Structures are given as structure tokens and as C-alpha cells.
Amino acid sequence: MRTLLFILPAVMLAQAPSGKEAAMVSAVDAEAPAAVTFLERIVNMNSGTFNPAGVQAVADVLEAQFRSLGFSTRQLSGAATKRGPHLIAELKGSPNRKRVLLIGHMDTVFELSSPFQKFDRKSDEHTDGPGTSDMKGGLVVMLSALKAMKAAGALDGANITVFITGDEEAAGDPLAVSRAALIAAGKASDYALCFEGGASRDGKDYGTIARRGSASWRLTVHAKTGHSSQIFSDSMGDGAAFEVARIVNAFREQLREPNMTFSVGMILSGNNIQLEPGGHASVSGKSNIVPGEALAIGDVRALTRDQVARVKDKMQSILAKNLKGTRAELQFEDRYPPMSPTAGNQALLDKLNGVNATLGQPVMEALDPMLRGAGDISFIAPYVDSITGMGAYGGGGHAPGEWINLTRQPLQAKRAALLIYRLTR
């Protein structure tokens, strides 16, 4: 007799849900209406990054939720960096269990001055509101998953730390202070799950195991100033405007490479340049005066630390070829490190796909890192296997009209509950 071998789809090879997992799935569905009510409550609480009192109010509401689940909690003041607090919740279980870190943020880009302030339910599939998908919806997914685990007795013995920042949208300076505790939590964990928005394209869900970091740069040019009739002469030189133009055009022509982008956000040239931290600037000049100053600011986004270093070196080499009578200086500020793709991150996505198989969902491929910007997960990714995109599905982030698809919240909560349970076992 011949033996026939069949390759079965991943869904058919799924690990059947355990009794506790089946109970978690049912608990998510039972709690779904209350989850929407809670989401509306916190969306209607303004927590713009520069509204520390609003961030504090949201932290207090969330803290009560975690305490009700048996977590010990504490808040870290953000006063030293002029931001709202971070919220930390911990569940300490068996010492031989793996340690799972869940992260998110409670601040939004919508300050008190924004006209976009309220949860507005257009339909189940399209509900507007500030921070709905970025990322208060993700915080509700996290809570729904933990509540389902609690109901099924699946939190018993688990080691889980929750770290919710109050300043993700504009991290407080210095970063060494505002991100120190988050990095320490990452170093103390075996896995990290971030509940920022889920990634879906053309009806297919993706997992995010890599995202680019960001660094800002500031280019300052100094030159001789005087009557425009003397420009290009040996005594006057080429002026600051032509030098800054040369440099940024050389950036455009010489820096491009895969998985990296760079941009110029502002260019000024003239005299008496003033640039305020919020982005407002002033400059003086006339058509018949050679400009003595120029300023350009922008950013670089790259996938690995080596790539960031290589691009910085290229930029500095371009600067060195100054036009006559000019000198230029380039300063960098690293903001978010890259979340580089690693075998550990891919293995974590494989575990999530095991959950997808159990839930009868298709396999999630890794998202192209060019399609996602920087985030808090990047600060801890160098130290712990990580995945992001565990939160809400929606769109329009960082602009009035931001929205969430409420019908997809239960699936995300089920994915999270089963994955956390399996990782902590």
C-alpha cells in the first residue's frame, strides 16, 4: 500500500483551543459592548500630549481597571520632562514562567485647542474620535484581553507587566529620562507586545516585526554678507543660500538607499534667523543683500543602527565640500531607535500565527517596515523579542476624522488573550 502525504493549510493544522482558551474567546464576546462604552469614555477625555492634567485623568481611569484585575500599579511622574505620567501595572506570578510586557500610550496629538474632541459613532465599522485608533482603541483591546484571561482563570501564575506612556506622540526631553523606565521594563522581559494600531492592506492583516527609527538633523550655514553685486567674488564668496541649496540637493541625489528615507522640513536663508521649538521661525533679508545665514531642518528614518550611522557619515562628507566663503555645521538628535527585523521577532509572529490558526484566521505576513513609522516599541526592541500592531484597526491618525472599526475589536482582543496566555505558559 502506498502512503500518500498531504501538505495541509496552516488553519487545518491548528492547535485546538484549550478549555481556558475557549472560555477566553467567549468572555471577549460577552464583554464587547462594555468595551465600546469604556472606549467612548476615555476618547472623550482630552489627553493631548501637552495637556498633562488630561493625561493624568486618563491614567487614573486606566489604573482603576488594572487594579480590578489584580495588578499592582504605580504612576511615574513626567514633571521632569514637562509631560503627563506613565502608568505601570504588574502581575507577578510563578518565577519559572516567561515574562510578558504589554505597552501602549494614552496621549494623543489632539490638544485642548483642537476642534476634534468627541467620540462620534457613525456606524459600527466607522466611528470617529480623537485617539480612537491611535491608540485608545488599542488600550481597550489590551484590557479586554486581560479581562477575558481573568474570567477564564488564565491570569493565575502569569508574569505580566503593562507599561503605558503619557508622551509617545512627543516624547519628553531628555529621552534618557523619559524612556529610562520603559527600557528597564523591556530588559526585564522575555516578550513585548505593543498595542498600537493593527496593519491591514487590501483586506489582509499583517504583523509588524520591524519599523524604522528616526533622527532629526539641523543644518546651519554661515557666510559673508554684503551687497549682492559682489556675490561669487573672492572677497564675498557664494553666500549662504547657494550653500544650503547645494547641500540639500546633494542629499537628494546621493543618500537614497532601501529602507531609508530622509526629508527637509524647513529651509530659511537671510539674516537674523530665529527658530522656536514649536516650529515657528523668522528671518530678515532683501533682494540686493547676500544672505549671511541659512538653516535647514529635517529627519532621517532607517531600519538599522548601522544604516543610520552610514547615512550620517554620507551627510557629513557632503557638508565638507563647502562653496567659497561659506562653512556649514550639521547636528543630529536621535529620537527613536530602529526596531530591526530579528529571528526572535519573526518567531513571535509565528506564535501569533499559531493563535490565528486556532481562531480560524489567515496567516499574517510581516509588514513592510517602510509602511510604518517609529514608536515606543523601538526603545525596547534591541533587548527583547517584540511585535507591534496588536491594537485597533482604523485610519486617519493624527488628523481630525481619525476613526476606528469597532467590529474588529473583539478579534484583536482574542488574538491578544490567546497569545499572552501561551507566552506566559
Side-chain angles (χ1 to χ4, degrees), residues 224-243:
K224 295 179 181 179
T225 184
H227 200 285
S228 61
S229 65
Q230 300 303 304
I231 194 167
F232 307 135
S233 67
D234 290 340
S235 60
M236 180 63 67
D238 290 12
F242 283 114
E243 173 65 346

Side-chain angles (χ1 to χ4, degrees), residues 351-391:
K351 293 178 185 293
L352 176 58
N353 277 322
V355 169
N356 281 326
T358 297
L359 294 173
Q361 296 295 315
V363 169
M364 297 168 71
E365 298 174 5
L367 182 71
D368 182 348
M370 290 289 285
L371 299 176
R372 192 142 210 170
D376 273 343
I377 190 72
S378 299
F379 287 104
I380 61 174
Y383 312 108
V384 58
D385 295 341
S386 305
I387 192 168
T388 188
M390 298 293 296

